[in-house]
Amino acid sequence: MALHAPSARYLATHKTSSGITLAQGAMPSCSAAASVLQEARDTPAAKPPCESARTSAFHSHVPAMSKARPAPQPLRAAPTTGAMPAMRRYEVSALGKNGDIVQSGHVAPATPLFESAFSAFARGTLLTTTEGLCAIEDLLPGMQIETAEFGARPVLWIGSMTILPDATTEDPDQTRVTRIMADTFGMGRPMADVLAGPGARMLHRPAALRELQGKGARSGQVFTPVADFEDGMNAIRITPPRPVTVYHLCLDRHASIKVSGLDMESFHPGLGLEQRIGPNTLSVFLSLFPHIRSLDDFGPLAYPRASLATLESLTAA
């Protein structure tokens, strides 16, 4: 059975040992999530030993309290603090080592990095499996899904979350979805309207690379965010009027999968992620993938990634 547990952005009310407040009864990963919040604070100078910080669900800054000094000393600027990122709930269904399906809920930062791993396909999206078409919400770990490069591959992980149209987010595009009308890219591509989330990418061959005829990076095909194809007529970006459950999935290797006649990307965090985030954030991120021990376990990208703007600049050149 697919997971449709509600997820929402919220600040929590349980104080951890690090002084960060999190949700009462949160999952075990919350302690690591607290470290991510601490890491997110922009504090250029270390706090004095006597300084204390109080964090509230209703305040986004940590007030600094100075210690009285017995003798006059040069004044120092109080350390600045950044806003504490919002948290949200993510649902995970993964294939266990013994073949069982392991389900879990996680509380983690509501940032584009985390949300992109859960927000490719809206509820009702049809995927091609070895047993025929299957709605994404009915897909289960262990099922075989058709790929364009490697034939049928097993689904190892399915993540889901809920897009809340009125949520406060650092990137407003994270609350929008893209509707692709039937036959937009040719007959049966897609077979029916597709509602894609902000984490969806589509495989295509841009004009600037059509002379390439190899495989993988040499094939001339690239993964481009679905949102980039917005034209206001056949591909329309909308803010949904009500919450929408969205999903993403991992296979045993990165590939393109058939989604209502379109070649779409299975999840991969991308290359060089460890250089863009801190170790605490990385630890929390990897905890969402029970089948993964390190970023290397995601394997190589099947095709390069490029935005439509980048590809158009190549054509112009």
Side-chain angles (χ1 to χ4, degrees):
M1 180 178 294
L3 302 173
H4 311 306
S7 66
R9 302 163 184 270
Y10 55 87
L11 295 178
T13 56
H14 171 68
K15 178 174 286 187
T16 67
S17 60
S18 61
I20 307 303
T21 56
L22 293 174
Q24 293 285 0
M27 295 297 166
S29 61
C30 286
S31 60
S35 299
V36 176
L37 299 182
Q38 188 68 30
E39 189 176 271
R41 298 176 186 277
D42 182 18
T43 307
K47 295 182 179 180
C50 59
E51 181 178 326
S52 63
R54 296 176 180 267
T55 305
S56 168
F58 307 101
H59 298 278
S60 62
H61 290 79
V62 180
M65 295 184 292
S66 303
K67 175 184 176 182
R69 296 177 175 83
Q73 295 184 11
L75 296 177
R76 294 183 299 171
T80 59
T81 59
M84 185 166 63
M87 305 290 283
R88 69 143 62 238
R89 185 175 178 84
Y90 300 96
E91 302 295 336
V92 168
S93 182
L95 188 66
K97 293 183 178 180
N98 58 358
D100 293 339
I101 296 176
V102 180
Q103 299 177 331
S104 57
H106 303 259
V107 175
T111 62
L113 167 64
F114 285 80
E115 293 185 345
S116 64
F118 294 80
S119 61
F121 314 117
R123 178 180 172 86
T125 302
L126 297 177
L127 288 78
T128 303
T129 72
T130 54
E131 301 175 9
L133 294 178
C134 179
I136 182 65
E137 66 268 23
D138 296 327
L139 195 69
L140 294 174
M143 294 179 67
Q144 299 280 322
I145 194 166
E146 295 289 350
T147 71
E149 304 81 18
F150 313 113
R153 310 302 303 182
V155 177
L156 300 185
W157 178 96
I158 301 173
S160 67
M161 64 174 231
T162 300
I163 291 179
L164 302 176
D166 58 349
T168 300
T169 174
E170 61 183 64
D171 183 0
D173 286 342
Q174 290 300 108
T175 62
R176 305 175 71 189
V177 296
T178 304
R179 181 179 295 278
I180 304 176
M181 304 301 181
D183 302 329
T184 292
F185 299 102
M187 186 66 66
R189 301 185 64 242
M191 296 181 292
D193 289 3
V194 168
L195 197 61
R201 289 186 177 89
M202 188 177 72
L203 185 67
H204 69 117
R205 189 190 302 274
L209 303 177
R210 286 177 183 169
E211 294 183 0
L212 298 178
Q213 298 296 328
K215 294 183 179 181
R218 299 177 179 274
S219 69
Q221 299 183 91
V222 297
F223 283 120
T224 295
V226 170
D228 286 5
F229 293 96
E230 177 190 15
D231 60 8
M233 183 183 309
N234 296 309
I236 306 170
R237 297 188 73 189
I238 60 174
T239 298
R242 60 184 63 86
V244 174
T245 303
V246 286
Y247 303 79
H248 216 332
L249 59 88
C250 279
L251 307 178
D252 60 344
R253 61 192 305 176
H254 186 236
S256 61
I257 58 180
K258 287 292 183 182
V259 178
S260 194
L262 297 176
D263 292 320
M264 306 285 272
E265 182 187 36
S266 65
F267 179 72
H268 192 291
L271 304 178
L273 179 62
E274 69 280 1
Q275 299 174 7
R276 304 195 303 269
I277 61 176
N280 292 328
T281 303
L282 179 59
S283 177
V284 174
F285 181 79
L286 291 178
S287 72
L288 303 176
F289 302 89
H291 66 295
I292 294 294
R293 291 183 177 275
S294 71
L295 290 175
D296 291 339
D297 293 339
F298 284 103
L301 288 171
Y303 300 95
R305 290 169 169 170
S307 66
L308 209 56
T310 298
L311 296 172
E312 289 174 350
S313 68
L314 293 177
T315 303

